[in-house]
Amino acid sequence: MEFEEFEVHLSAARAKRAGLSSPEGFDVFESRVASEAELSEAEETLQVQLPGEYREFMKRHGGGMFLFLDLLPVVASDDQEDDLVRVNVAEFKDGDFVAVAPVGTGDWWGFSVVEGRCVNQVDFWDHEDGQVQFAATGFLEFLAYEGLRVGR
């Protein structure tokens, strides 16, 4: 999926939600964007190269709530909040997986790492056995399906 197609789905989802009320202090679309410097620092700390789609999305839209997903921000707003580096340094010490979104059950969605590069596809990491399963061919496809519920 290209960004142009993704943006059409995102605009439609935002328009659909515009007339609905949310509980006080709850945004269904947060926008904690990341700078190029923050992304580069995260890559250096994690010793990986993040996928281009993911990097571009984080610069355009950022982490936080993304309708039906909670995306880790690259940099947390405070010391109590999880972010990309904090979670991955604590949970994935071997460096073969980079978590980007909690599933809510202890499992994670993220990228498998091969020779220091995150693969473009999004995978599902099972906390019970550490097994990784394919979830989507790319980050935008993953966001459209799991976050915006396109095609569901």
Side-chain angles (χ1 to χ4, degrees), residues 85-112:
V85 171
R86 190 172 292 139
V87 165
N88 284 286
V89 166
E91 300 290 330
F92 300 97
K93 293 176 178 66
D94 59 7
D96 63 355
F97 188 81
V98 174
V100 297
V103 176
T105 58
D107 303 323
W108 291 90
W109 282 300
F111 307 109
S112 293

Side-chain angles (χ1 to χ4, degrees), residues 1 19 32 39 45-46 57 59 61 64 66 68 91 96-97 102 113 116 118 126 129 136 144 150-152:
M1 176 177 297
R32 290 185 260 164
L39 285 159
T45 301
L46 298 174
F57 177 86
K59 289 190 282 188
H61 299 288
F66 188 76
F68 294 102
E91 300 290 330
D96 63 355
F97 188 81
V113 178
C118 293
D126 187 315
D129 59 14
V150 172
R152 286 185 155 203

